[in-house]
Amino acid sequence: MKLFLDSANLKEIEEAASWGAIDGVTTNPSLVAKENRDFIPLIQEICKLVNGPVSVETTTRDAAGMVEEGRSFATIHSNVVVKCPLTKEGLKATRLLSAERIRVNVTLCFSPSQALLAAKAGAYFVSPFIGRLDDTSTDGMALIRDIKTIYGNFRFSTQILVASVRHPLHVVEAAKIGADIATMPFSVLEALVKHPLTDIGLDRFLRDWEKLPAQAKQWKTTGRPMSDQPAKPTSLERVSS
Ligand code: E4P
């Protein structure tokens, strides 16, 4: 399963990339607006930091506008995937952009029927928003199961990109279902790493290590295998010399 960071913040992206943890990035207009930076240079910087798909969202309602933006975004960097909303106009734009081999992430998906249409339009990714469904007392993860079944039944190649992820259990459940990707905010990625028993265990190991005498703690090697190192004189040789 691939993990994407849902962020337009360069510090977060750089940090997550340094852990070897992320395979791509998703952005949306709200995340970009938070950064208060020029849009195109920001996307260029993100693409330099991540060796994988970077989703960039169109900001119009009509298909012609989305196609125009999408074509332009695709020239920013080869990592760019164009995001179109799951509306009739978004599907039209998806069909046209996909026909031009521009990868499209169909976003704002909230039902299995919408996901079916996204696949038929040629979407590269479909983004079901599970957290926003949970917020309305609807089981977001059930949507992932349904899409997985439908895409499996008809061997659609559209990848399921689980979005609006709010906590580590969302990621684990999505992985168990076999979703292709989960995209998450930095706080959730950090929470995936943390475990109190890891911290307690490490504290204990380091405390115990401190008990070893300084002489015994030497760890720098000579760079030669042990077998090549001169044998230490035996106690008998030391006595005779
Ligand atoms: C995904 O592409 C979206 O940017 C994102 O997951 C939305 O998440 P939210 O519901 O937390 O805003």
Side-chain angles (χ1 to χ4, degrees):
M1 187 198 205
K2 291 185 175 162
L3 303 181
F4 288 2
L5 192 66
D6 195 31
S7 173
N9 183 279
L10 295 176
K11 273 199 185 140
E12 289 180 351
I13 296 168
E14 196 169 11
E15 175 66 13
S18 76
W19 308 343
I22 53 165
D23 305 291
V25 166
T26 49
T27 67
N28 63 38
S30 313
L31 293 171
V32 170
K34 271 208 297 199
E35 299 308 308
N36 200 19
R37 289 192 40 173
D38 286 345
F39 174 60
I40 293 195
L42 178 64
I43 300 301
Q44 282 168 332
E45 294 259 354
I46 294 174
C47 289
K48 273 194 234 153
L49 291 175
V50 181
N51 187 18
V54 174
S55 290
V56 182
E57 190 153 345
T58 54
T59 50
T60 48
R61 289 181 185 274
D62 62 298
M66 288 179 215
V67 169
E68 192 189 347
E69 284 185 24
R71 284 183 184 142
S72 164
F73 294 170
T75 65
I76 298 176
H77 195 283
S78 57
N79 286 351
V80 168
V81 174
V82 177
K83 258 177 155 182
C84 295
L86 222 161
T87 57
K88 284 185 267 182
E89 292 298 299
L91 290 173
K92 276 187 211 168
T94 300
R95 192 175 73 82
L96 293 169
L97 290 168
S98 300
E100 294 177 21
R101 297 187 168 277
I102 293 174
R103 295 176 297 174
V104 179
N105 174 355
V106 178
T107 191
L108 290 166
C109 171
F110 292 95
S111 75
S113 58
Q114 286 184 315
L116 175 59
L117 291 174
K120 289 187 73 68
Y124 186 71
F125 297 137
V126 67
S127 290
F129 276 38
I130 59 170
R132 293 192 195 185
L133 277 172
D134 288 354
D135 291 345
T136 62
S137 306
T138 306
D139 181 4
M141 208 50 78
L143 173 59
I144 305 304
R145 274 186 223 104
D146 285 346
I147 300 174
K148 180 77 187 162
T149 304
I150 292 167
Y151 283 10
N153 286 348
F154 302 102
R155 301 213 169 93
F156 284 120
S157 60
T158 304
Q159 297 173 55
I160 305 171
L161 198 173
V162 180
S164 188
V165 162
R166 300 276 161 79
H167 50 72
L169 259 188
H170 272 157
V171 181
V172 173
E173 283 301 315
K176 280 158 68 176
I177 293 167
D180 302 282
I181 308 149
T183 188
M184 66 208 77
F186 187 76
S187 57
V188 174
L189 193 69
E190 264 189 321
L192 289 184
V193 183
K194 284 185 189 156
H195 197 289
L197 288 178
T198 304
D199 297 338
I200 292 168
L202 180 60
D203 286 347
R204 190 179 301 160
F205 285 152
L206 294 182
R207 259 200 326 271
D208 288 346
W209 179 249
E210 284 311 309
K211 295 175 193 159
L212 198 65
Q215 177 73 17
K217 275 198 279 198
Q218 298 206 16
W219 55 269
K220 281 190 182 154
T221 70
T222 59
R224 284 179 295 172
M226 289 301 277
S227 55
D228 288 358
Q229 291 181 22
K232 284 191 185 139
T234 61
S235 49
L236 211 67
E237 285 166 337
R238 262 186 265 132
V239 171
S240 60
S241 62

